[in-house]
Amino acid sequence: MPYPLKVIVIKAHPDEAELYAGGTCARLADKGAGVKFLSLTNGDAGHYEMARKPLKRRRSREAYAAARHLGVLDYEILDIHDGELMSDLEIRKAIIASVRRWQADLVITFHDEQPGHIDNRMAGRAVRDASGFFTNGNVVPAYPPLAAEPVCLKMTDYGALATHRHEVVVDVDASIERKLRACGEHATQFFEFAPFERGFLDRVPASEDWAIRRQFILTHWHEFMSAEPMREAMLAKYGQERGAAIAYAESFQLADYGRETSLAQVHDMLGL
């Protein structure tokens, strides 16, 4: 597919596209793709001290700062409470409208039937439910329908690690620094809430030195950075020499909805 490719990543909370697909999105933006992030909640439950309203404002500022590192052109955050996402008619219409406004060729979202955060599962389910209407002009008629169904991919998260298939793999060595910087902008999550929930708040670096904070993110979220879990797929795609040398990668699974496609066609679409 010729560029400019139009890509939308639909997730539940403002930090997730950065962690699970940020390297790929940065590389696509470098090639001229138009990349948009859509968060279906405002993330206002994601802290152990801050109240909802100030947290919502802080997380939106973090998101917009993160977008600049990745070359993301639009970052839409719906004003739905964190922890209360449902795959209902309201959210389905919002997804349809956002995908159409962006004229997306590629939609990336969560798995919808795995364990883990209920908001993440609801986000995946809502995209699945909305996907059948992207080209139907009688649904959400205020926005022109897409001329063709977009390709849909599923990204992993902590709840899907055990079952996620590394089908579409992307070398992100060239963009790992921007991915880490984008994650680092989400201080509420990477240096506060997640360490609190996971029991290593005492290990959060007091120093503001980026090299130290960078290593902290790499250490505690290594499973979403390292190419090792998908090494076989990397070797198959990139060949023995390059595939063995890649340190950082991201992977996606073909969704069973959206445009019918093949792995080869998706890799060709991405051009990475």
Side-chain angles (χ1 to χ4, degrees), residues 40-74:
L40 300 182
T41 81
N42 58 28
D44 63 359
H47 212 274
Y48 55 96
E49 289 180 335
M50 294 187 71
R52 282 190 184 272
K53 286 186 178 180
L55 180 59
K56 177 179 77 169
R57 291 192 293 269
R58 186 178 171 198
R59 293 200 69 181
S60 66
R61 291 194 299 270
E62 290 176 339
Y64 303 144
R68 291 195 289 271
H69 292 289
L70 301 176
V72 172
L73 298 179
D74 188 13

